[in-house]
Amino acid sequence: MTGGVITVGIARFAYTPMLPEMVEEIGLTETVAGFLAAANYAGYLCGALLISFMHNLQLKIKLYRYGLIAAVATTLCMAATTNEWLWYLLRYVSGLSSAAGILLGGGLLMLWLRHNHAKAELGIFFSSLGIGIVLTAITAQLIKIEYSWDQQWLIYGLFALILIIPVLLWFPDFAKSTIGTQHTAHKEAQSLPSKQFFLTLQSAYFCAGFGYVVTATFLIAIVELLPGMRGLGWAVWLVVGVAAAPGCWLWDIYVRKVGLWSSLFQAYILNMVSTALLLFDPSATVVFISAVLYGFSFIGIVSMTLSMVGRLYPENASRAMSHLTFSYGLAQVIAPALVGIIAEKSGSFTDGLIITVIVMLVGITLLMRAVALLKSGNRELLI
């Protein structure tokens, strides 16, 4: 779980509360802000693609550790330059580290859970994203007055450096167990869903990625532009993290009661509603409600979707997760760049939010289609 805090919670999410500081102190434009986010997700996308071709367990373990180190290094190095192209490179490498932390880390955890006859649920693992958001939100508020933007990046990097120590020290030794042997030699006798099902699910997950990244990138900037909300962006971001941190295991509990697909469908709807609320009533109360719904829903979508494909494709969970995440990452490259350009030209995030709501509606429709395809294959829906 700590690996997720480092590679995503800090290396990725520190950028969101930092955005207003960088805009104010060095004149960062909405377009550059969007492209920096896109560069990060381009790295995540490439990392997902690379992982999809990996089969060797020891290589995955090695790259997971390298990913942790890269997350720390790129966070620290953001303070060392104001060159946009170097920033793009650093955010790209940071994205690679996020893929290692989430996809390799999640796949390795699924493997360990199955080996130890535990429930194959990733709720606690993905709570690291919410914890990272809480950490960056609180830190942002504590350090924004006394420290400049570059010093703030250094502080985040030092946090990550401290957190990496227990991860590297207490990482399970797969080589001394039978896990590695089972991973390479054992193949479970389980039929796989159709290719059409997987492509439909990928498309739905693309839409979820679009819905996630627009808010993740621009939420604080949007809040700071609202009447009476200036200075409250960090608090809204904190609420997102507080909702996300327990959201994963709460969704796991909910899945046991109503089923995975019904839960996933509801999470998509909540995510769409969280964006729509910012359009219809941008009052302080509604903005905080939107933040709760967003944090709770996006983390549930990621956790439930990746847990589900890990169970459907147990032979190589990391590979299945990375294939699916490719579409999620593609949306994360396209959406912030597109919305950033639109916002800079129009002077408002309204059009970008409208596009996001439409994309999420498409995603809900595709998810319903995926369920129908799975039913037609006579597969158990309560995976």
Side-chain angles (χ1 to χ4, degrees):
M1 184 174 75
T2 306
V5 174
I6 296 167
T7 58
V8 180
I10 295 177
R12 162 59 188 96
F13 286 134
Y15 177 62
T16 299
M18 281 293 300
L19 191 52
E21 305 297 321
M22 296 175 74
V23 169
E24 183 176 342
E25 293 188 35
I26 55 178
L28 193 70
T29 66
E30 287 86 350
T31 297
V32 174
F35 278 119
L36 283 172
N40 181 265
Y41 290 117
Y44 190 71
L45 181 67
C46 291
L49 184 62
L50 178 64
I51 292 168
S52 70
F53 294 103
M54 289 183 190
H55 299 279
N56 186 281
L57 178 62
Q58 294 307 315
L59 176 61
K60 291 180 180 180
I61 294 171
K62 185 180 294 186
L63 290 179
Y64 174 73
R65 288 172 171 158
Y66 288 160
L68 296 176
I69 295 169
V72 175
T74 54
T75 303
L76 290 169
C77 287
M78 282 295 292
T81 182
T82 56
N83 185 292
E84 288 180 15
W85 293 103
L86 287 178
W87 275 346
Y88 291 139
L89 177 61
L90 289 170
R91 299 314 292 159
Y92 176 83
V93 176
S94 176
L96 288 173
S97 76
S98 296
I102 293 299
L103 300 178
L104 290 179
L108 290 170
L109 178 57
M110 288 286 282
L111 182 64
W112 187 88
L113 289 172
R114 287 199 303 272
H115 173 76
N116 288 277
H117 310 292
K119 280 186 174 292
E121 296 176 344
L122 295 178
I124 298 297
F125 175 78
F126 282 107
S127 67
S128 61
L129 277 65
I131 293 171
I133 292 173
V134 171
L135 176 64
T136 55
I138 294 175
T139 303
Q141 183 63 12
L142 292 175
I143 67 178
K144 72 176 184 178
I145 296 177
E146 295 186 18
Y147 299 94
S148 62
W149 70 271
D150 52 340
Q151 292 172 330
Q152 291 177 37
W153 275 112
L154 287 175
I155 291 170
Y156 287 121
L158 290 174
F159 278 156
L161 183 61
I162 293 170
L163 289 173
I164 200 176
I165 297 172
V167 179
L168 295 178
L169 288 178
W170 298 332
F171 192 78
D173 189 352
F174 286 82
K176 293 183 179 180
S177 69
T178 59
I179 299 178
T181 305
Q182 290 180 351
H183 181 72
T184 55
H186 178 67
K187 293 190 177 181
E188 300 182 29
Q190 175 178 316
S191 61
L192 301 179
S194 69
K195 185 176 182 179
Q196 187 180 4
F197 160 79
F198 194 82
L199 291 175
T200 304
L201 187 63
Q202 265 190 316
S203 300
Y205 204 46
F206 171 92
C207 296
F210 199 107
Y212 151 75
V213 73
V214 171
T215 304
T217 303
F218 297 111
L219 179 60
I220 292 180
I222 291 171
V223 170
E224 293 291 335
L225 291 174
L226 295 176
M229 294 292 290
R230 183 166 179 78
L232 292 177
W234 76 273
V236 175
W237 188 238
L238 175 63
V239 169
V240 170
V242 171
C248 294
W249 60 265
L250 289 176
W251 279 112
D252 282 344
I253 295 172
Y254 192 61
V255 164
R256 296 169 200 163
K257 295 182 179 295
V258 304
L260 188 146
W261 287 100
S262 178
S263 301
L264 190 57
F265 181 74
Q266 292 172 48
Y268 267 70
I269 293 176
L270 288 177
N271 192 268
M272 181 194 67
V273 170
S274 72
T275 303
L277 286 174
L278 296 176
L279 287 167
F280 294 117
D281 185 4
S283 64
T285 301
V286 172
V287 167
F288 279 106
I289 292 173
S290 171
V292 171
L293 294 179
Y294 169 72
F296 185 64
S297 61
F298 96 77
I299 204 75
I301 291 171
V302 172
S303 175
M304 287 186 285
T305 302
L306 295 186
S307 295
M308 178 261 294
V309 297
R311 298 177 209 175
L312 283 173
Y313 304 88
E315 182 183 329
N316 193 336
S318 290
R319 186 181 183 190
M321 290 178 186
S322 60
H323 275 301
L324 197 65
T325 301
F326 183 85
S327 59
Y328 197 82
L330 186 62
Q332 293 174 7
V333 174
I334 295 170
L338 174 64
V339 173
I341 292 172
I342 293 173
E344 185 170 350
K345 288 184 176 180
S346 66
S348 168
F349 287 97
T350 300
D351 291 340
L353 293 174
I354 291 173
I355 292 171
T356 304
V357 171
I358 294 171
V359 170
M360 283 305 297
L361 281 171
V362 174
I364 291 168
T365 304
L366 288 167
L367 193 64
M368 294 171 65
R369 174 61 178 161
V371 173
L373 289 169
L374 202 61
K375 281 183 177 179
S376 67
N378 296 319
R379 294 189 61 86
E380 176 59 57
L381 296 185
L382 299 176
I383 306 169

